Amino acid sequence: MNSSTTTHWIDRNAAKLGTPSLLLALLLTAVWAVSVVTAPVDSAQGLIQKTLYVHVPCAFAAYMGFVITGLCGIMYLWKEETAYDRLAYAAAEVGILFCSLVLITGPIWARGTWGKWWSWDARLAVTVLLWFLYLAYLLLRSFSEGSPRTARFAAIYGVVGVPVIILNYFAIDLAGGRAMHPDNLEQGSLGAGMGMPFLLGVLAILAIFFHLLFTRTEVETLRAEELRTHLLSDSH
Amino acid sequence: MNYLIASYAVVLGSILLYKAYVAREKATLKRSLAGFKTASPQESKAG
């Protein structure tokens, strides 16, 4: 078992990529902002449709966070390297941030188009389930002592959550026309001139996601280092 | 228009708040580790 907090490739790269990822995120956000302002106004929904350029990318970032949590869970169970556990924890927290933003921007968009804040359709219900699932993951981590046993349990929990992400993505197809939520984008929901701001939105939000993930992972690495230093001093 | 501005403001504000929280945690931990490393040689001399 490798308990080193300074030599693992995850720790090294998280510390190294913080500033470059911030610069990339700032650059992409600036370009994205211009493209959102200049994007065509939807004939049916009006300006409120531009919420799409932030709502869907936030959903992709949330998926990314939870998938990384699941993958790192598998890697932790396989290799028993604590760096994977730290990355899984950081990814779940950043994922929850973006999932919360999906659950905030969605109702705002719904109010502007459907006239009501919430509707219990399949996609919305599964998104709430996903949010609670990974919130419970974070609570489990914060209320436990960070032992290998907790890390193993959290790893299994993180992996078990992954099918809910797939269910969330295909919830509209599974609802079979009863969903209020628009179709997935590959089925042609985007109008002319809306592809570029959407793509830039995805790239900008993912750049922000990775910047937050790197810095949050660095915090976990420092926390582990601090704990190790205290344990070493107590043992002397 | 107001709903649209609210969406983008919430996203931007939340990301900036979270970024500030993580930066503060990082700074606190770095200070704590630096303080510990400075104190350790003195402790060993005293011991």
Side-chain angles (χ1 to χ4, degrees), chain A residues 226-236, chain B residues 36:
Chain A
E226 191 196 34
L227 183 69
R228 202 163 50 102
T229 313
H230 281 288
L231 286 173
L232 277 172
S233 73
D234 288 348
S235 66
H236 287 156
Chain B
F36 191 84

Side-chain angles (χ1 to χ4, degrees), chain A residues 36 47-48 50-51 53-54 93-94 101 104-105 108 111 208 211 216 218-219 223 225-226 229 233, chain B residues 1 3-4 6-8 10-12 14-15 18-19 21-22 25-26 28-30 32-33 36-37:
Chain A
V36 168
L47 273 174
I48 191 74
K50 291 191 181 192
T51 310
Y53 308 130
V54 71
E93 193 176 290
V94 182
L101 292 175
I104 295 168
T105 54
I108 294 173
R111 180 81 176 105
I208 293 168
H211 170 68
R216 186 63 186 80
E218 209 183 338
V219 165
R223 198 166 278 153
E225 199 179 329
E226 191 196 34
T229 313
S233 73
Chain B
M1 183 72 175
Y3 289 125
L4 181 69
S7 285
Y8 281 86
V10 163
V11 171
L12 186 67
S14 304
I15 288 170
Y18 184 73
K19 167 79 187 144
Y21 156 74
V22 174
E25 285 285 299
K26 189 175 150 183
T28 307
L29 284 163
K30 277 196 166 172
S32 166
L33 275 167
F36 191 84
K37 278 170 189 163

Side-chain angles (χ1 to χ4, degrees), chain A residues 39-201:
Chain A
V41 177
D42 186 72
S43 55
Q45 292 188 35
L47 273 174
I48 191 74
Q49 179 273 342
K50 291 191 181 192
T51 310
L52 168 93
Y53 308 130
V54 71
H55 176 73
V56 181
C58 282
F60 288 171
Y63 289 161
M64 182 69 83
F66 301 148
V67 166
I68 290 172
T69 301
L71 288 176
C72 287
I74 293 169
M75 290 305 289
Y76 178 76
L77 293 171
W78 180 28
K79 300 220 168 194
E80 292 198 348
E81 292 173 355
T82 52
Y84 288 111
D85 179 53
R86 290 195 291 274
L87 181 58
Y89 187 19
E93 193 176 290
V94 182
I96 273 285
L97 168 75
F98 283 99
C99 196
S100 305
L101 292 175
V102 171
L103 288 171
I104 295 168
T105 54
I108 294 173
W109 190 3
R111 180 81 176 105
T113 50
W114 303 339
K116 55 181 181 177
W117 296 100
W118 192 261
S119 161
W120 281 108
D121 94 335
R123 168 67 63 78
L124 275 66
V126 181
T127 307
V128 172
L129 174 69
L130 195 66
W131 187 78
F132 272 116
L133 203 70
Y134 283 92
L135 188 70
Y137 174 94
L138 292 181
L139 289 175
L140 164 81
R141 304 300 304 251
S142 64
F143 291 146
S144 54
E145 288 172 6
S147 63
R149 194 164 165 239
T150 308
R152 268 199 302 277
F153 183 75
I156 295 164
Y157 190 103
V159 174
V160 168
V162 173
V164 183
I165 304 168
I166 300 163
L167 178 69
N168 185 264
Y169 189 77
F170 292 106
I172 295 165
D173 300 327
L174 292 170
R178 291 189 304 276
M180 276 185 84
H181 211 276
D183 288 341
N184 287 334
L185 291 171
E186 73 274 10
Q187 291 172 349
S189 306
L190 279 183
M194 294 173 182
M196 188 51 75
F198 175 72
L199 178 69
L200 285 167

Side-chain angles (χ1 to χ4, degrees), chain A residues 4-16 83 86 217 221:
Chain A
S4 171
T5 56
T6 52
T7 55
H8 199 278
W9 68 268
I10 289 174
D11 301 315
R12 274 198 313 274
N13 288 312
K16 216 187 294 175
R86 290 195 291 274
T217 305
T221 307

